[in-house]
Amino acid sequence: MNVSAANERVLTEIEKQFAVSLSKQFPGIDDAINQIINLRAILGLPKGTEHFISDIHGEYEGFLHVLKTGSGVVRRKIDDVFANVLTDAEKRSLATLIYYPEQKIDDLVSRGITNNSWYRVTLHRLTVVCRLITSKYTRSKVRKFLPKNFGYIIDELIHEDGAIPDKKGYCDEIVNTIISTGMANEFIIALSNFIQTMAVDRMHILGDIFDRGPGADIILDKLMTHHSIDVQWGNHDILWMGAASGSLACIATAMRISLRYGNVELLREGYGIDTSALVTLALEVYGDDPATMFRPSSDTLVEKEILLIARMHKALAVIEAKLSADVVKRRPEFNMTDRMLLDGLNLEAGTVTIAGKKWELNDKHFPTLDKADPFALSEEEKIVMQRLRSSFLSSEKLQKHVRFLFEK
């Protein structure tokens, strides 16, 4: 290329490095022009739907429903494309089919509704919805997320215009063959799940996946399969990230909050945390303690379970107070000495002094406190925390989830 002397300019070192790199990706002018055309065309597409979710707090059932519905995106698309064609009941039925295809099909099959005519109408409606939802993406992007088992067929249906006479017979034959081969149910499930995937272009999690609810592990398993996601850590997430990294204070706090809400299942089954040493401490040291102030907030546990969890909760609350004080003393810049309350306890009088004022304790049984050093862990408490730390560090699933949070 001939460039006039007036336009000539010496490239900087950084520009030279970029030029060399670009020359490897686009060795010829045609390659570069094709990419420019592609990128400018993408800029002309409508902006994809971005989904913002916050304060999930382990409530996996509600979270999964929000994902399936795209926070109403799917229903709005149905309303847009079938505004004056379908009744409200038909729109709701179609939306439910897309959200929960397996359950909806089982229900319709049991009621004898799924005949060939129903399949043809339903496949047409789903295709129309899918075509609208994927219209804001490039064809190459859509193809990346097509299901493997029916990807080619879905690609043909959503990109071929059945209204064109020469294509109508082609599209009709695809639908007829899906039905005649007995694959209609499986195809509807795959197409519905694909619509769910494409309804949201990017998901933003704005903090607090953990605590309260019982299914933080289920939520993270699902988030790890999402095609485009980023996470803003909340304080509860950072707590669990610290616990997974081995912080004793974080472990005690994360465990205590889980027990407060009766989420033993998350600890034992979700992440395989060994609570046996804590159970032993609760039974041997707090075995006669009603631990009334520490009863978990749960409507599903029986009294025997509630009492054991309350004692475990209390044992951890005391351990947490001791370990938190250690952090405060180690980091004076936190200015949190007001949180160090154990040295203000008077167990004989049953009071605690806070900011110079005495308060009566609601719970006066603290068998592991040493008057001479109230912030020191007892030998039994040390064993509990050593076992828990080992369990948190060796939990493969927890470590995988925390790595995901760091990466995203």
Side-chain angles (χ1 to χ4, degrees), residues 244 271-273 387-399:
Y271 288 129
I273 303 300
R387 297 273 183 87
L388 287 176
R389 185 175 189 273
S390 175
S391 196
F392 269 75
L393 290 173
S394 62
S395 172
E396 183 177 344
K397 190 174 185 179
L398 177 59
Q399 294 299 325

Side-chain angles (χ1 to χ4, degrees), residues 60-272:
Y60 69 95
E61 291 181 343
F63 170 76
L64 294 179
H65 180 71
V66 168
L67 281 193
K68 289 177 178 294
T69 65
S71 281
V73 171
V74 173
R75 178 56 198 264
R76 287 196 294 274
K77 295 299 183 184
I78 293 174
D79 289 337
D80 289 343
V81 75
F82 296 116
N84 300 314
V85 179
L86 302 181
T87 65
D88 285 340
E90 289 173 325
K91 292 175 186 176
R92 286 195 300 271
S93 180
L94 181 59
T96 303
L97 177 64
I98 294 173
Y99 305 156
Y100 301 98
E102 294 93 343
Q103 296 91 324
K104 183 68 174 179
I105 287 176
D106 287 344
D107 175 59
L108 295 173
V109 169
S110 67
R111 292 192 282 139
I113 295 176
T114 53
N115 53 37
N116 287 353
S117 176
W118 180 87
Y119 281 125
R120 288 191 185 91
V121 170
T122 300
L123 287 170
H124 168 72
R125 291 173 178 174
L126 289 173
T127 300
V128 171
V129 174
C130 189
R131 189 176 294 146
L132 179 61
I133 280 182
T134 57
S135 63
K136 64 179 65 175
Y137 307 119
T138 64
R139 192 163 182 172
S140 61
K141 183 170 184 175
V142 171
R143 283 174 170 168
K144 288 179 182 178
F145 304 110
L146 286 167
K148 293 182 179 180
N149 51 344
F150 295 111
Y152 171 77
I153 300 173
I154 294 175
D155 187 32
E156 290 294 292
L157 285 177
I158 63 178
H159 289 109
E160 293 293 351
D161 189 352
I164 300 175
D166 290 341
K167 290 294 185 180
K168 185 178 185 306
Y170 174 70
C171 294
D172 287 345
E173 195 55 41
I174 290 177
V175 172
N176 290 335
T177 305
I178 291 171
I179 297 170
S180 64
T181 55
M183 297 301 293
N185 289 345
E186 288 82 354
F187 186 81
I188 288 172
I189 292 169
L191 185 54
S192 296
N193 289 333
F194 179 62
I195 291 172
Q196 291 179 28
T197 298
M198 303 307 294
V200 175
D201 185 29
R202 186 167 184 82
M203 183 180 299
H204 308 277
I205 304 299
L206 306 182
D208 290 342
I209 297 169
F210 285 93
D211 292 328
R212 300 184 194 171
D217 60 317
I218 298 172
I219 292 167
L220 278 159
D221 279 341
K222 185 65 176 178
L223 290 178
M224 290 181 70
T225 67
H226 199 275
H227 57 89
S228 182
I229 188 171
D230 54 71
V231 181
Q232 173 70 49
W233 306 332
N235 59 313
H236 293 276
D237 305 318
I238 294 173
L239 174 64
W240 276 81
M241 294 164 79
S245 302
S247 165
L248 291 180
C250 288
I251 290 171
T253 305
M255 288 281 295
R256 196 241 332 140
I257 294 174
S258 293
L259 292 175
R260 177 186 176 188
Y261 293 99
N263 292 335
V264 178
E265 184 177 344
L266 169 67
L267 298 170
R268 293 176 180 168
E269 298 181 23
Y271 288 129

Side-chain angles (χ1 to χ4, degrees), residues 334-376:
F334 288 174
N335 295 319
M336 294 178 68
T337 53
D338 59 315
R339 303 290 292 272
M340 297 171 58
L341 303 177
L342 297 183
D343 55 352
L345 289 177
N346 185 329
L347 297 182
E348 288 79 8
T351 62
V352 60
T353 301
I354 304 175
K357 184 177 180 180
K358 286 187 178 180
W359 301 84
E360 185 176 356
L361 293 169
N362 291 323
D363 189 317
K364 303 174 184 178
H365 181 61
F366 297 98
T368 66
L369 288 187
D370 183 349
K371 295 179 184 179
D373 188 359
F375 298 114

